[in-house]
Amino acid sequence: MTLSWTVRSACCAAIGAMLLAGAPGGARASDASAGNEVAAARPETPPAAPRGVTGKAIDAVRSVARSAGDVFSRVPCATPKDVKLEATLPHVARKIASGEHVTIIAFGSSSTASYGASSPAFQYPNRLAEQLRRRYPKADITVMNQGIGGEDTPEMMARLKSSVIEQKPDLVIWQLGTNTVVKGGDIDATRGLLEDGIHQLQAIGADIVLVDPQYVPATTAKEADATKMVGIIGRAARAMKVGLFPRFAVMKEWHNDQKLPFDDFVIKDGLHMNDWGYACFAQLLGDSIIRSVDQVQAGAEVPSNVLTFRPM
């Protein structure tokens, strides 16, 4: 079986770390030993043989895989009780159902780049890709991470053509708004920029899911601004009939209703999610996409491209 991109990335990262460790000032790979990979041909018990770079890299990959597999063992990733996630993404759904190549682009800032994740295995676009590939093993699915930390909506718009449109995506997951709130930017200007970007993406036939700000200490400290931004993104999604993943409401439910402390899903900077947060976000988003694909495969008539969230 071929290693997935995520595992290969983890392996390469581990190998790179091992090689860097041999640089001046770092610990050399030969300084530590583990395991009894090779037995010496002597009657007495030999000392443990040093692990080579490849052996250590394999151990690192296995460790990441185990960690990625049990991230929900402490707290399960439950579908929010106060919102129901329903996706109708007809373009990407029909392409997956028909076995065509599918390109999904995760577009945004640092939470799309998944700052705070402990390894590539926990970056949300990689988690989403693995979930979709497990569900549709015969599908040809690519998830591209086009997140750049610190960007506001104007900076994203400046690279929309090169980072997104020229890649000819079938689905764009556009995360925005948090940096404008946290940095005190022009919230009102977001609406016009966002609508312009949506028009450009609709012109190439891409399905779109907008992702609003995260509910974390850095945004709750400016709750009025955060609520205003959430409203602007939600109204744009409804007016232009595109998808919306209400991350603010979902994460608020984690904290207020599921009683999860912020430390359970946010790193110490009070802004970015941790491994669990990215994993649960990816899981819920993936579940929505899967429901839409299953509708198409079942022969159901899929309405216009709308991702809705309504009370149970």
Side-chain angles (χ1 to χ4, degrees), residues 20 23 33 35-36 79 82 92 94-95 97 129 148 150 170 173 206 217 289:
L20 288 174
S33 62
N36 291 305
T79 300
D82 294 337
V92 70
R94 289 191 178 100
K95 290 196 73 173
I148 297 180
D170 300 294
I173 304 166
I289 295 171

Side-chain angles (χ1 to χ4, degrees), residues 210-223:
L210 304 179
V211 179
D212 61 21
Q214 58 263 49
Y215 184 85
V216 292
T219 55
T220 58
K222 297 185 175 183
E223 191 159 0

Side-chain angles (χ1 to χ4, degrees), residues 33-112:
S33 62
N36 291 305
E37 212 169 40
V38 180
R42 294 188 299 172
E44 65 270 18
T45 303
R51 293 284 278 170
V53 170
T54 302
K56 289 185 178 181
I58 291 172
D59 288 344
V61 169
R62 288 171 177 167
S63 176
V64 168
R66 285 194 300 271
S67 179
D70 65 11
V71 67
F72 296 137
S73 62
R74 175 173 48 88
V75 178
C77 178
T79 300
K81 296 177 182 178
D82 294 337
V83 289
K84 184 175 182 180
L85 285 64
E86 294 182 352
T88 50
L89 305 170
H91 182 67
V92 70
R94 289 191 178 100
K95 290 196 73 173
I96 291 178
S98 63
E100 299 177 63
H101 176 75
V102 174
T103 298
I104 299 173
I105 292 183
F107 183 51
S109 56
S110 56
S111 63
T112 294

Side-chain angles (χ1 to χ4, degrees), residues 14-285:
I15 291 173
M18 300 305 168
L19 294 175
L20 288 174
R28 298 182 180 274
S30 60
D31 291 340
S33 62
N36 291 305
E37 212 169 40
V38 180
R42 294 188 299 172
E44 65 270 18
T45 303
R51 293 284 278 170
V53 170
T54 302
K56 289 185 178 181
I58 291 172
D59 288 344
V61 169
R62 288 171 177 167
S63 176
V64 168
R66 285 194 300 271
S67 179
D70 65 11
V71 67
F72 296 137
S73 62
R74 175 173 48 88
V75 178
C77 178
T79 300
K81 296 177 182 178
D82 294 337
V83 289
K84 184 175 182 180
L85 285 64
E86 294 182 352
T88 50
L89 305 170
H91 182 67
V92 70
R94 289 191 178 100
K95 290 196 73 173
I96 291 178
S98 63
E100 299 177 63
H101 176 75
V102 174
T103 298
I104 299 173
I105 292 183
F107 183 51
S109 56
S110 56
S111 63
T112 294
S114 301
Y115 178 83
S118 65
S119 75
F122 287 106
Q123 293 173 357
Y124 110 72
N126 290 344
R127 294 283 302 198
L128 177 63
E130 289 303 311
Q131 180 184 2
L132 295 177
R133 289 168 187 154
R134 285 195 305 271
R135 181 65 179 80
Y136 307 108
K138 295 182 180 180
D140 183 11
I141 300 172
T142 298
V143 179
M144 300 175 63
N145 190 334
Q146 295 285 27
I148 297 180
E151 285 195 341
D152 293 332
T153 311
E155 294 164 311
M156 294 180 199
M157 286 298 296
R159 65 182 179 95
L160 181 67
K161 184 176 184 293
S162 60
S163 294
V164 181
I165 292 174
E166 290 180 354
Q167 313 307 319
K168 300 179 180 179
D170 300 294
L171 169 62
V172 178
I173 304 166
W174 189 357
Q175 163 264 315
L176 74 159
T178 299
N179 287 323
T180 303
V181 170
V182 173
K183 296 191 292 187
D186 189 345
I187 296 174
D188 291 320
T190 299
R191 178 70 183 261
L193 292 168
L194 177 56
E195 289 181 351
D196 181 22
I198 292 172
H199 278 306
Q200 292 185 51
L201 295 174
Q202 288 176 327
I204 63 170
D207 289 336
I208 304 165
V209 175
L210 304 179
V211 179
D212 61 21
Q214 58 263 49
Y215 184 85
V216 292
T219 55
T220 58
K222 297 185 175 183
E223 191 159 0
D225 287 344
T227 300
K228 183 177 181 180
M229 178 63 80
V230 168
I232 285 174
I233 295 172
R235 286 191 293 275
R238 290 188 293 273
M240 304 189 74
K241 294 182 170 57
V242 301
L244 171 67
F245 186 98
R247 183 172 55 162
F248 193 83
V250 169
M251 295 178 71
K252 186 174 183 178
E253 203 246 22
W254 292 349
H255 185 63
N256 292 351
D257 298 337
Q258 297 185 33
K259 305 301 181 186
L260 297 181
F262 280 122
D263 287 347
D264 276 6
F265 56 92
V266 181
I267 64 173
K268 293 185 182 299
D269 68 1
L271 176 59
H272 298 94
M273 288 186 282
N274 61 16
D275 288 343
W276 188 94
Y278 286 123
C280 192
F281 167 49
Q283 181 72 42
L284 297 175
L285 181 58

